[in-house]
């Protein structure tokens, strides 16, 4: 008789998992968290144009020629630009003055600048310029509509008017928005780029 064939079983060196157990894999960071982190990252500082004090008389025109969609941010290392604008009959609010950045004072200063065609100036001095977001206390997303100039479209600015305001403020015919401008001043040589990147930057010599 031929010899019987003996069969052998192969064994695996891999460990045997107990039944009913699963292997955990590291949790991946949700895409939404990555997007939020990227959105909060500061943008790069935009180019800065040097300007003399005398050149400030044409600040709005200079900013418009560089990018008509942006207002000027002035880096004022000597601390004199706010005073310059006060003598130019601008509506200037200063972060250092108590009450200057109160919601109703901001509203009235902005409406007055829109009506009479004057610069509306926020002099943040040494404060973080991101503090200009305080204008949103007047109206939701007001800062965005200021920075992108949509406040000037379709009489959008009239939403700022209240019943107690003089009757002329309720009529767009009394506004000189074509001469209006918005200016932010800072004494910080490296201003917060969350705001700076949305403006045209100048530094006064």
């Amino acid at each position: 008789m031929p010899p019987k064939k003996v069969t052998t079983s192969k064994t695996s060196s891999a460990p045997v998992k107990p039944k009913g157990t699963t292997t955990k894999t590291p949790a991946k960071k949700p895409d939404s968290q990555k997007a939020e982190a990227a959105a909060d990252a500061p943008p790069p500082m935009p180019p800065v144009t040097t300007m003399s004090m005398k050149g400030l008389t044409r600040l709005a025109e200079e900013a418009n020629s560089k990018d008509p969609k942006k207002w000027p941010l002035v880096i004022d290392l000597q601390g004199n630009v706010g005073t310059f604008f006060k003598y130019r009959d601008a509506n200037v609010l200063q972060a250092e003055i108590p009450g200057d950045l109160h919601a109703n004072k901001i509203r009235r200063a902005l409406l007055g600048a829109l009506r009479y065609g004057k610069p509306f100036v926020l002099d943040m001095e040494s404060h973080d310029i991101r503090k200009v977001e305080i204008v949103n206390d007047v109206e939701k997303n007001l800062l965005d509509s200021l920075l992108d100039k949509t406040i000037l479209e379709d009489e959008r600015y009239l939403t700022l008017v209240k019943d107690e305001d003089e009757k002329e403020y309720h009529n767009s015919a009394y506004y000189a928005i074509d001469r209006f401008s918005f200016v932010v001043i800072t004494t910080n040589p490296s201003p917060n780029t969350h705001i700076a990147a949305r403006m045209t930057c100048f530094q006064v010599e």
Side-chain angles (χ1 to χ4, degrees), residues 156-173:
R156 160 80 171 75
Y157 49 87
L158 291 180
T159 62
L160 301 174
V161 181
K162 293 187 176 182
D163 292 341
E164 65 265 25
D165 295 325
E166 295 87 338
K167 63 179 182 180
E168 290 81 7
Y169 282 95
H170 296 259
N171 189 339
S172 63

Side-chain angles (χ1 to χ4, degrees), residues 18-183:
K19 290 184 178 180
T21 62
T22 57
T23 303
K24 292 184 178 180
T25 55
K28 291 184 179 180
K29 191 173 183 180
D31 291 339
S32 59
Q33 291 183 18
K34 292 180 181 179
E36 287 176 9
D40 197 50
M45 183 67 188
V48 179
T49 301
T50 302
M51 174 179 281
S52 66
M53 285 291 292
K54 186 177 180 180
L56 288 172
T57 57
R58 289 185 47 80
L59 178 63
E61 293 85 348
E62 288 292 329
N64 190 65
S65 68
K66 292 181 180 297
D67 190 336
K69 296 181 180 179
K70 293 182 178 181
W71 296 115
L73 166 68
V74 180
I75 299 172
D76 175 26
L77 301 182
Q78 302 302 318
N80 299 321
V81 175
T83 301
F84 169 87
F85 275 106
K86 284 184 177 179
Y87 283 103
R88 300 290 296 184
D89 193 32
N91 285 2
V92 182
L93 298 180
Q94 294 175 268
E96 290 290 345
I97 297 179
D100 247 23
L101 297 184
H102 183 274
N104 196 52
K105 189 160 188 179
I106 293 171
R107 185 186 71 85
R108 292 287 298 182
L110 176 54
L111 274 175
L114 286 160
R115 182 184 170 194
Y116 294 104
K118 303 194 294 185
F120 172 57
V121 182
L122 295 179
D123 187 356
M124 304 312 293
E125 298 170 299
S126 61
H127 293 261
D128 183 348
I129 62 169
R130 203 166 183 179
K131 191 178 179 181
V132 297
E133 292 174 350
I134 199 170
V135 304
N136 291 330
D137 290 350
V138 177
E139 185 176 271
K140 185 179 179 180
N141 299 325
L142 178 57
L143 181 61
D144 286 338
S145 65
L146 261 174
L147 290 176
D148 64 17
K149 301 190 178 185
T150 54
I151 194 171
L152 305 177
E153 299 174 1
D154 302 319
E155 301 180 355
R156 160 80 171 75
Y157 49 87
L158 291 180
T159 62
L160 301 174
V161 181
K162 293 187 176 182
D163 292 341
E164 65 265 25
D165 295 325
E166 295 87 338
K167 63 179 182 180
E168 290 81 7
Y169 282 95
H170 296 259
N171 189 339
S172 63
Y174 288 94
Y175 286 78
I177 61 172
D178 57 317
R179 298 199 305 272
F180 168 82
S181 61
F182 175 47
V183 182

